[in-house]
Amino acid sequence: MPQSSSKKQPAGWYTGRPRLRLSLYYARNAQHRTQLPMPDSAPRDLALDSRALAKAYAAGHSDKVLEMLHDWLAIYGGPSLLHPLSQHQQRAVNQGVESLVYYLTRPDLRFGKRAVRRLLKQHPVLTNVIALSDYRSSDHWLRNLLQRGGSMRIPAMLLHNARNGLAGDRATYFDLDADLASEWYGQYFFGVPGFASSIAQENLREHLTFWDERMQLPMSVSNGYMRSTYIDPTLDRVFKGNFNRLAQRVLGKVKIRNRPRGNRIGVITARWAPTHPTYKNRFPLFAALTDAFDLSLIHVGPKRDDLETSIFSSVHRVWLENGRFQSDFLFDNDLDILFFPDVGMSSESRYLSNMRFAPVQITTNSHPVSTFGSQIDYFLTGIESEEALERAPTHYSERLVLIPGIGTLPIKPSYLPQRKQARQNPLLIGCAWGALKFNHAHLQLLKTIADSSPVPVRYRFLPTLNRNSNYYLPFRHDLETILGGERVELFPSQSYERYMDCLAECALALDSFPFGGNTSIIDCLSLRIPIVTRKGWQFYNLAGPVLLERFGLGELNAESDAAFVRIALRLIADSEWRQRLMAPISRALVSQQMEATTDVDAFRKAMHYLIGHKAKSGKRAPLVFD
């Protein structure tokens, strides 16, 4: 493998030493880490076979070179490394990154389209491998490649990611090849699991607003759909509007036959399993329809063994095969209503929601964000979970259907560990946030709280984090850069039981913002853990505060960032207040209040009405059922 030296290197080669020794960084912070509540991935050989690579390049086998680079990245695409890299591993990562950049920037390397596409599918992995290296970002190489232009736009596209401190001209990638550029555009969204890095978040904001009319429709283009609201809730309608128009143009030619029966409702989701919030928040409502309607579950995606199908008369599937949707039912169906409980949470739902399968198509607040222009007619939510009814329609492209309460009826937790004495030194604060709910501004509030706290605190983060693509160490580094290594515990993707065990050890909890929690609020209340929320403007940052008010805990709802910090600091300092707040909260009260969060009869009335009323264009006033 080429080695750095004083000898002049070809253009594109970096001879400088890394600015930051990550291995030293991790070593300094290792003392603050507790044992992860999970096994680390099996030891792997992280090295790139530089001799074989040099031999293939010398022989002019460009496809072989690109294949070897892809296969090396695939090693890192497996289970994430969860512990600091050893010196040997750090050296292997650094040398691998150097070799990859060296060969990608050779002017005589021929880029076959199939090989480039395979590498682009590893783009999130490459982003994290570079972040694992001592280089931290590809800025130096990207700057050089952008200056050279021409054929160097392909390696520039491969190295251009959300962690870059400089911007490239996205349109030039479409000038080169719109098909490959579309794949890159979608994969770019997956470079980081959350938005702790201010650089990454700002880059992703810019990425959301970019759209090229030459955009193609590979599955990856939808990657920005769900993430858009978390990146910036003011920009999600921009991205979704562009995506929906493209999807409808491409999918509008698909033939669909529908013969409504009169009482048939289909529920289409990839997540109808007892451990998932979609099921937990919807099961009691759909169960209440079985006496009057014939319900069918349409499972999206790969087969799974944990589907809960007791309320359905039939179960069907939709899946992708060779880039096309296949189904044993959906494209020739007898549905009156097709209910999408969680549009956006699966890539398939983002495309299917842009097709017309039934006279009436509904979504709801399992993923509480509008589709902003799909083929969904109605959005069902709760009266209490909207800031002001006269302004609520501005948050949705669908016509609102409002029922009393918050629009969900969650099932109580299936596992409740014995509440343990909270750890006091440092005081443990739970943050049961999904990975996408992390953002730089809210983490800065956590830093302010920790800096101002009268006692040492440590944050226990419990995100669902993809164990592949090696997100863990770069994401942890982002958190520790803001908060400090001694204040961070990151326990990703626990089993439900282990997640509840970890949460039960916390003295208090803090909610995320602007996308807050719902099921996680119930988990904290069930464990009698006080949680501070930040009140917002629609379901995703109002449902939690509404739940607290129902439990008589409204004083834990913050109306501003300053109030969020103030309430958190009081909870930290005043253990008697924490105990007094939670003393009335019993498991019986949790069950009682959960049953009262939504009016089941009103939900049933709404379904009876909607089954015969397709939404009419121009009708925007909410339909209210009480």
Side-chain angles (χ1 to χ4, degrees):
M1 188 189 79
Q3 300 293 323
S4 300
S5 69
S6 57
K7 182 180 178 181
K8 184 177 180 180
Q9 300 289 346
W13 179 244
Y14 180 49
T15 60
R17 293 187 64 80
R19 293 187 297 270
L20 171 68
R21 292 296 303 177
L22 272 191
S23 49
L24 293 177
Y25 169 86
Y26 285 128
R28 286 197 302 269
N29 287 281
Q31 60 180 313
H32 303 306
R33 297 186 178 160
T34 57
Q35 180 65 35
L36 285 164
M38 67 189 81
D40 201 351
S41 53
R44 282 169 280 170
D45 184 1
L46 303 179
L48 179 61
D49 189 342
S50 56
R51 290 187 179 181
L53 195 58
K55 184 176 179 180
Y57 174 69
H61 297 156
S62 295
D63 285 346
K64 182 64 175 177
V65 170
L66 295 174
E67 179 184 353
M68 293 177 70
L69 295 177
H70 171 276
D71 292 347
W72 177 68
L73 288 174
I75 296 172
Y76 294 85
S80 287
L81 298 162
L82 300 176
H83 292 290
L85 302 182
S86 67
Q87 288 187 349
H88 173 75
Q89 288 175 320
Q90 191 68 61
R91 187 162 53 249
V93 172
N94 290 344
Q95 292 176 348
V97 168
E98 291 167 355
S99 288
L100 179 141
V101 174
Y102 176 82
Y103 287 107
L104 286 181
T105 56
R106 297 306 87 215
D108 56 344
L109 189 71
R110 298 185 303 277
F111 290 97
K113 190 165 183 175
R114 178 179 175 275
V116 174
R117 184 185 297 280
R118 292 185 74 219
L119 280 172
L120 282 170
K121 289 183 182 296
Q122 297 280 9
H123 190 270
V125 179
L126 177 55
T127 301
N128 287 305
V129 170
I130 293 172
L132 282 171
S133 78
D134 286 337
Y135 295 101
R136 292 296 294 152
S137 86
S138 57
D139 280 351
H140 174 85
W141 304 304
L142 181 61
R143 182 180 295 107
N144 184 291
L145 293 169
L146 293 173
Q147 290 171 352
R148 292 167 67 185
S151 62
M152 289 296 103
R153 283 179 291 182
I154 287 182
M157 187 161 43
L158 291 167
L159 294 174
H160 187 177
N161 62 64
R163 291 188 175 275
N164 288 127
L166 68 158
D169 185 351
R170 292 166 171 83
T172 63
Y173 302 149
F174 284 84
D175 295 339
L176 183 67
D177 189 306
D179 188 33
L180 294 176
S182 299
E183 184 68 41
W184 166 81
Y185 177 82
Q187 296 294 347
Y188 184 104
F189 285 109
F190 272 9
V192 292
F195 316 111
S197 163
S198 59
I199 291 175
Q201 188 166 11
E202 187 55 40
N203 284 335
L204 285 161
R205 284 193 185 103
E206 182 179 339
H207 204 61
L208 280 177
T209 59
F210 173 83
W211 192 263
D212 194 289
E213 290 305 313
R214 295 165 291 183
M215 190 78 71
Q216 306 297 303
L217 198 63
M219 288 299 289
S220 63
V221 167
S222 77
N223 290 348
Y225 192 101
M226 182 173 174
R227 291 177 169 235
S228 59
T229 307
Y230 300 90
I231 295 167
D232 189 330
T234 68
L235 296 177
D236 53 358
R237 67 184 63 209
V238 176
F239 174 85
K240 289 182 179 180
N242 288 326
F243 172 81
N244 290 333
R245 285 188 290 273
L246 175 60
Q248 289 169 28
R249 187 172 75 242
V250 173
L251 300 173
K253 301 174 184 177
V254 176
K255 293 182 178 180
I256 300 169
R257 186 184 181 195
N258 171 248
R259 305 172 312 286
R261 182 193 294 182
N263 73 333
R264 191 91 184 265
I265 297 177
V267 179
I268 182 166
T269 177
R271 291 168 167 79
W272 200 258
T275 58
H276 197 275
T278 294
Y279 170 87
K280 292 180 181 181
N281 293 334
R282 292 288 142 202
F283 176 83
L285 295 176
F286 285 120
L289 301 179
T290 55
D291 60 341
F293 298 97
D294 184 0
L295 301 184
S296 293
L297 176 65
I298 303 160
H299 172 64
V300 177
K303 293 180 180 179
R304 52 189 300 175
D305 299 327
D306 58 345
L307 296 178
E308 208 293 312
T309 62
S310 61
I311 63 173
F312 299 103
S313 63
S314 60
V315 179
H316 307 280
R317 250 188 90 212
V318 184
W319 68 96
L320 274 171
E321 189 175 298
N322 299 322
R324 294 178 179 273
F325 283 111
Q326 307 291 330
S327 179
D328 57 354
F329 170 72
L330 192 57
F331 293 94
D332 187 358
N333 71 76
D334 56 0
L335 296 172
D336 296 271
I337 291 177
L338 184 57
F339 208 117
F340 290 80
D342 52 7
V343 174
M345 296 187 77
S346 69
S347 56
E348 294 92 342
S349 70
R350 303 160 198 166
Y351 293 88
L352 294 170
S353 64
N354 278 291
M355 304 169 76
R356 174 61 64 180
F357 294 102
V360 176
Q361 301 191 163
I362 308 171
T363 190
T364 186
N365 50 22
S366 292
H367 186 244
V369 186
S370 174
T371 64
F372 291 118
S374 74
Q375 290 291 322
I376 302 295
D377 305 305
Y378 297 102
F379 193 105
L380 189 146
T381 186
I383 293 172
E384 293 182 40
S385 57
E386 295 298 325
E387 178 187 32
L389 294 188
E390 65 273 14
R391 290 202 300 273
T394 64
H395 299 149
Y396 303 92
S397 62
E398 305 83 7
R399 191 176 185 186
L400 278 180
V401 177
L402 297 171
I403 60 178
I406 63 173
T408 68
L409 193 61
I411 298 174
K412 63 183 178 181
S414 58
Y415 171 75
L416 285 175
Q418 187 67 35
R419 184 84 164 89
K420 301 176 182 178
Q421 181 66 37
R423 199 165 70 204
Q424 299 297 319
N425 190 21
L427 192 75
L428 202 56
I429 300 176
C431 298
W433 310 349
L436 293 179
K437 296 181 180 181
F438 288 73
N439 63 79
H440 187 77
H442 201 57
L443 288 167
Q444 287 291 342
L445 293 185
L446 268 61
K447 182 180 187 301
T448 299
I449 292 167
D451 289 345
S452 306
S453 172
V455 298
V457 300
R458 181 174 295 163
Y459 296 107
R460 175 169 285 181
F461 296 105
L462 297 163
T464 299
L465 188 66
N466 188 337
R467 290 195 180 188
N468 296 330
S469 301
N470 261 290
Y471 288 122
Y472 180 82
L473 288 177
F475 187 51
R476 177 163 197 134
H477 174 67
D478 291 341
L479 296 176
E480 292 181 345
T481 299
I482 298 171
L483 299 170
E486 74 282 2
R487 294 172 174 169
V488 173
E489 290 183 2
L490 180 60
F491 295 166
S493 304
Q494 304 299 300
S495 68
Y496 177 69
E497 292 77 11
R498 182 57 187 161
Y499 153 78
M500 291 294 280
D501 285 339
C502 290
L503 189 58
E505 294 175 352
C506 299
L508 64 138
L510 302 177
D511 197 16
S512 51
F513 186 82
F515 211 110
N518 181 21
T519 304
S520 58
I521 303 287
I522 294 292
D523 293 337
C524 287
L525 294 174
S526 299
L527 293 168
R528 301 178 71 188
I529 297 172
I531 180 168
V532 185
T533 71
R534 171 73 165 83
K535 199 170 183 179
W537 52 88
Q538 66 185 93
F539 182 93
Y540 58 72
N541 47 34
L542 271 179
V546 169
L547 284 171
L548 291 189
E549 288 170 4
R550 283 174 170 265
F551 282 88
L553 298 172
E555 56 193 312
L556 295 179
N557 292 331
E559 300 278 354
S560 66
D561 289 348
F564 185 87
V565 172
R566 184 174 65 253
I567 296 169
L569 288 172
R570 182 183 173 191
L571 276 179
I572 290 169
D574 193 342
S575 61
E576 291 184 1
W577 187 47
R578 296 199 302 266
Q579 294 171 5
R580 191 165 62 251
L581 282 170
M582 304 311 291
I585 309 300
S586 65
R587 293 183 181 181
L589 179 62
V590 171
S591 296
Q592 176 187 344
Q593 288 294 340
M594 286 168 61
E595 291 172 3
T597 56
T598 289
D599 189 327
V600 175
D601 288 336
F603 176 74
R604 192 184 292 111
K605 285 181 189 177
M607 293 301 102
H608 276 286
Y609 176 86
L610 294 175
I611 204 162
H613 292 79
K614 185 179 184 297
K616 296 179 181 178
S617 59
K619 291 279 189 178
R620 298 291 298 143
L623 293 169
V624 181
F625 297 86
D626 51 26

